Structures are given as C-alpha cells and as structure tokens.
Amino acid sequence: MSPTVYLISGANRGIGLAITAALAARPDTVVFAGARNPSTATELQALSRSMPSNVHIVKLASADEEDHKAAVDQIKKDVGRLDVVIANAGQVFALPSASPPLTTEKNPGINDAYASIFDTTPDEVREHFNVNVVGPQVLFRATYPLLKASTAAPKFVVISSLSGSVALGPGMHVLNGAYAVSKAAVNYLARMLHFENEGLVCFPMHPGLVETDMMKAFVAKDDTLKDFPLISTVDSAAGIIKVVAESTREKDGGEFVSYDGSRLEW
C-alpha cells in the first residue's frame, strides 16, 4: 500500500512543526516539510534526522514560484505522488516583543502590523496579502497538478484564523486589521478553489487559540479574548490532522472549519 504523502508549508515552527511531528509518527506517512530557510530550521532538521524516511525538508519561501516548483519536482523524484497539502505558512500578528499594554505599535521582530486600519500602512497590507493570500495561491498552482494525478480526492487545506470571519472577527476589537483582512481573503480563495475544482477537498481551518508566550500575553491584556480557552500546539495539530484525515468534499468542502470539527461563520 502506498504511503499517504503530505506537504506542509511553514513547518519550521509552531503549529506547522507540531503537525509535521505528529504526522511523521504515523505509519505509512511521508511528510515534505516546507521552510523558508531550511538551514536555520534547527528543530525541523532534528526531526528529519530522527525520522529520515518520514520527513523531507524542502525550501518554500511564501509566494516564491521557483521554490514551489523545485519542491514539487523533489516530491515527484522522491515518492512520485502527493495526497494532501496543508498551507500553514503565513504572516501572523503579535504584540510588540516587550509585551506592553495594547498599543498601535508594530512588532519589529516579524515585520508585523499591529494597528487600527487607519494606522496600518498600505505596504503592511500588501505584505500580509502577499504572504497570506498570494502564498497559498502559488502553493496551489504548484501542487494541484500532482495532487490531481495522485488521487481521486486530493486535499488542499488552508490554515486560516477566526480573525478572518467577517461575521465574528471585527467584533473582537483586536488591532490586527492587515492580518484579519488577509485571512478573510484567503478564506474566499479556499472556497473558490472548492467550487472551481471538481473532486478537490478544500477548505480553510481555524487552528484554535494556540498557547504560545505571545498569545498568553496577548490574552492577558485584552478582555475580549479572556474567555477563549488556550490550547497547545500539540492539541491544535492533533485536531487539524483528525479533521483533515476525515474530511470529504461533501461534508467539508468549501466550509469554514475549526480544528475541533465545528463550523464557523464566514
């Protein structure tokens, strides 16, 4: 029986790394793990060394068409098929590194806009769209021919965010305009891919409010998020993998799905 072959973008840290590690531990599974700078992805390198037949690192800089073509060529050469793509790489939002009270400051460490829509620059909006919308579109264009040739039910899943819900996100009153607007756009992109491609299993996913030092500090300073339970990257990854593995076009295609399998408002 042929193994199930996954490609995970943004696999060098956080949720992407947790997804890669969990998948690599499963039998009959091969993971191609995308990282913008493989040479500096130390945890991912360690995982690949410990499971050399299960984890293969590929260079994937978001929206770089040459990187994506080379990655797909490597997958063809190494295993000859591709069953599931999880588009996890993306621009995130965060508090400034010193974690002061909520302001409209920009996080210098990740070139991230943390501001109202008025105070967000056009360049910041463009950068978020390039990473969060153009990036998944480039990934789809590169991988879909191999996905379609490999299986009758190829899966392309986009890791999005509750912030991208037009119904729910704005009411949270969080200063993440560029990020949220770009996630709303990628939700639309994923739903369009569902309607445009017969047989494809495609949908955006909210990974949960994941427990990181940044997010804990953020929740502590923002009353609108205090009632949201935090989950670990391991729990988020486990939920994502379960939903993806059990997904079908009829049940999940074109829907906005949470890591726990529930449906979210657009």
Side-chain angles (χ1 to χ4, degrees):
M1 181 178 178
S2 298
T4 302
V5 182
Y6 288 77
L7 172 60
I8 315 296
S9 66
N12 58 303
R13 63 181 181 180
I15 297 169
L17 182 63
I19 292 172
T20 301
L23 286 172
R26 303 176 73 167
D28 300 320
T29 301
V30 175
V31 185
F32 286 84
R36 183 176 58 183
N37 296 308
S39 62
T40 62
T42 54
E43 290 182 87
L44 185 58
Q45 289 176 7
L47 181 63
S48 181
R49 285 194 298 271
S50 68
M51 300 180 175
S53 62
N54 296 62
V55 179
H56 305 266
I57 302 175
V58 292
K59 185 177 185 300
L60 277 184
S62 186
D64 188 309
E65 293 181 83
E66 290 303 315
D67 272 5
H68 286 71
K69 180 181 183 302
V72 171
D73 286 345
Q74 181 176 332
I75 295 169
K76 288 179 181 177
K77 177 181 176 183
D78 290 351
V79 295
R81 62 179 293 113
L82 181 61
D83 301 291
V84 183
V85 175
I86 299 179
N88 171 72
Q91 188 88 331
V92 300
F93 74 94
L95 288 174
S97 57
S99 296
L102 291 179
T103 70
T104 58
E105 294 182 58
K106 178 179 175 181
N107 183 330
I110 56 174
N111 188 30
D112 195 33
Y114 188 76
S116 67
I117 293 291
F118 180 84
D119 290 323
T120 301
T121 69
D123 283 344
E124 288 168 334
V125 175
R126 291 187 191 100
E127 175 62 18
H128 278 75
F129 264 73
N130 189 53
V131 175
N132 289 345
V133 185
V134 179
Q137 193 248 0
V138 169
L139 181 62
F140 180 77
R141 280 170 53 88
T143 58
Y144 186 55
L146 183 57
L147 281 168
K148 186 168 58 172
S150 301
T151 173
K155 298 183 179 184
F156 187 91
V157 178
V158 178
I159 301 303
S160 182
S161 170
L162 181 65
S163 297
S165 167
V166 175
L168 303 174
M172 295 169 66
H173 304 297
V174 180
L175 298 175
N176 64 344
Y179 172 83
V181 171
S182 68
K183 287 299 187 180
V186 83
N187 285 355
Y188 192 99
L189 181 143
R191 187 163 167 81
M192 283 295 292
L193 292 179
H194 162 75
F195 283 102
E196 289 181 350
N197 299 280
E198 184 178 356
L200 178 68
V201 183
C202 183
F203 52 92
M205 282 194 74
H206 168 55
L209 193 61
V210 182
E211 186 176 19
T212 62
D213 290 340
M214 175 275 294
M215 188 57 72
K216 286 187 288 186
F218 182 68
V219 171
K221 294 178 183 296
D222 193 325
D223 288 338
T224 63
L225 296 179
K226 287 186 182 295
D227 293 331
F228 283 71
L230 295 177
I231 62 172
S232 68
T233 56
V234 171
D235 287 342
S236 175
I240 290 168
I241 290 169
K242 184 176 188 295
V243 170
V244 172
E246 296 176 357
S247 65
T248 65
R249 180 175 174 87
E250 293 73 23
K251 178 169 65 73
D252 306 290
E255 299 292 336
F256 190 10
V257 185
S258 181
Y259 77 100
D260 61 4
S262 62
R263 298 293 184 268
L264 297 173
E265 293 182 69
W266 291 106

